[in-house]
Amino acid sequence: MESSDFQTQLQTEMLWRETEIRGLNNIIVQLSNDATKNMVRRATICLLYAHVEGFVKFSFKLYIDAINSMNLECSKVKSVLTAAVYYVDFMKMNNPDNKNKIFKRVLTDDSHLHRIYRYEEFFERITDVLNQKIKIEDGYINTEGNVGKEVLQKLLYQVGLPHTLLDRVIGPLTRLMNKRNNIAHGTDKSLIDNAEFNTFYNCCLDIMSELSRVLFGAYQNRDFLKQANS
C-alpha cells in the first residue's frame, strides 16, 4: 500500500466521524433550554467515546494490514511484530500438555524436561521462522472492550511504537470512557456542564487527529522495520 493510500484511508475514516461530532456540538450550542442541553450532552458523550474506540480499532487494523501487504520477512521487522506472527506458537510452548514423545510416559510429570522439549521444537524451526513472511492475524489488535489510556498505550507498544506517543492528548480519555460507561449503564445521572463536555469533545477530536498523524508518520517512515527507513 502506498503511503498516500494509507493516509487517504485514515483521513476518510476520520472525516466522517469528525463531521458527525461537530454537527452534534453545533446543535448543543444552539439549544437554549438547559435541561435539553444536558440531555443531548449526555447522549453525545456516549457517541464521542464510540467514535474514539471505532477509530482506534480501524487505524491500528489498517496499520497491521498495510504491513502484512508488504510481504516482508519476519527477520526484517521489529521483534514485537515477529512475536505477533508467532503468538500461537508461543502459546503452544507454554502448554504443559505438549510433552516430549520419548519421555511422555516414563517422565509424565517432569515439567522442566517437557518445557525444554517445547523450546527445542521452536528453535529447530528458527530459520524458517525468521524467513517467514509477516502475516499478523485479525484479533491481534484487541481493545478489550474499553479504550482507556492504558489500552491505547498497549496498542502502540504492540505495533512497535513508543507507548508514550499519544500522552499529550490522552489525559482525559479514561475519564471519558468511565463517564460513558456510567451513563450507558444508568449509574450516572449528574449534570454535565460546558467545561466538562468541552474537555471530552476536544479529547475525542485530538486523539483521532494525533493517532492519524502518528500512524501515518510511522508507516511513511517504515518504523515497523528493524532499522527505520531501510
Side-chain angles (χ1 to χ4, degrees):
M1 183 187 298
E2 295 293 331
S3 295
S4 57
D5 294 332
F6 184 86
Q7 185 180 38
T8 297
Q9 290 193 49
L10 278 178
Q11 290 181 337
T12 300
E13 182 71 12
M14 184 170 63
L15 180 60
W16 80 263
R17 296 181 185 276
E18 284 187 340
T19 300
E20 186 166 275
I21 291 167
R22 294 185 189 280
L24 281 169
N25 186 57
N26 289 338
I27 291 173
I28 292 171
V29 169
Q30 294 170 14
L31 292 172
S32 57
N33 183 279
D34 288 342
T36 303
K37 185 173 288 192
N38 180 66
M39 181 175 60
V40 178
R41 278 176 180 158
R42 287 168 57 83
T44 303
I45 281 175
C46 293
L47 190 64
L48 290 176
Y49 173 78
H51 276 309
V52 171
E53 182 171 346
F55 188 72
V56 166
K57 288 180 178 178
F58 174 87
S59 302
F60 279 101
K61 185 178 186 305
L62 178 66
Y63 189 71
I64 291 297
D65 289 346
I67 294 172
N68 283 341
S69 72
M70 298 185 74
N71 208 32
L72 298 166
E73 293 179 356
C74 286
S75 60
K76 305 297 183 184
V77 301
K78 289 181 175 179
S79 298
V80 70
L81 295 173
T82 302
V85 174
Y86 287 95
Y87 178 74
V88 173
D89 291 80
F90 294 139
M91 293 289 286
K92 290 178 181 177
M93 286 171 62
N94 292 305
N95 181 1
D97 294 328
N98 185 14
K99 298 180 178 181
N100 186 304
K101 295 178 177 60
I102 298 173
F103 298 103
K104 186 173 183 178
R105 293 183 181 276
V106 294
L107 295 175
T108 304
D109 299 324
D110 193 327
S111 59
H112 175 71
L113 181 143
H114 295 302
R115 189 181 303 112
I116 293 297
Y117 159 72
R118 293 192 294 272
Y119 295 166
E120 176 192 18
E121 268 197 327
F122 181 80
F123 282 104
E124 281 181 346
R125 298 188 294 112
I126 195 66
T127 300
D128 292 336
V129 165
L130 294 177
N131 289 335
Q132 180 71 29
K133 302 296 184 182
I134 280 286
K135 180 64 173 72
I136 300 173
E137 299 295 334
D138 288 343
Y140 178 64
I141 296 303
N142 181 6
T143 61
E144 302 172 14
N146 283 299
V147 177
K149 177 179 178 179
E150 291 75 16
V151 168
L152 201 43
Q153 289 177 330
K154 185 194 76 171
L155 293 176
L156 288 168
Y157 169 79
Q158 284 183 236
V159 297
L161 298 175
H163 73 282
T164 58
L165 280 179
L166 297 173
D167 280 5
R168 184 181 65 82
V169 296
I170 62 177
L173 178 57
T174 298
R175 284 171 51 209
L176 170 59
M177 178 187 72
N178 291 336
K179 192 72 171 179
R180 172 265 183 187
N181 288 344
N182 291 337
I183 290 174
H185 297 152
T187 60
D188 187 330
K189 301 176 184 178
S190 63
L191 298 176
I192 300 169
D193 63 26
N194 189 59
E196 183 179 24
F197 178 79
N198 283 339
T199 295
F200 295 146
Y201 172 77
N202 291 327
C203 173
C204 176
L205 293 177
D206 289 346
I207 286 175
M208 291 195 297
S209 177
E210 189 69 2
L211 179 58
S212 179
R213 185 191 68 79
V214 163
L215 291 183
F216 171 65
Y219 188 71
Q220 186 179 45
N221 295 328
R222 301 298 188 255
D223 285 344
F224 44 82
L225 299 176
K226 281 188 174 177
Q227 293 182 345
N229 298 316
S230 65

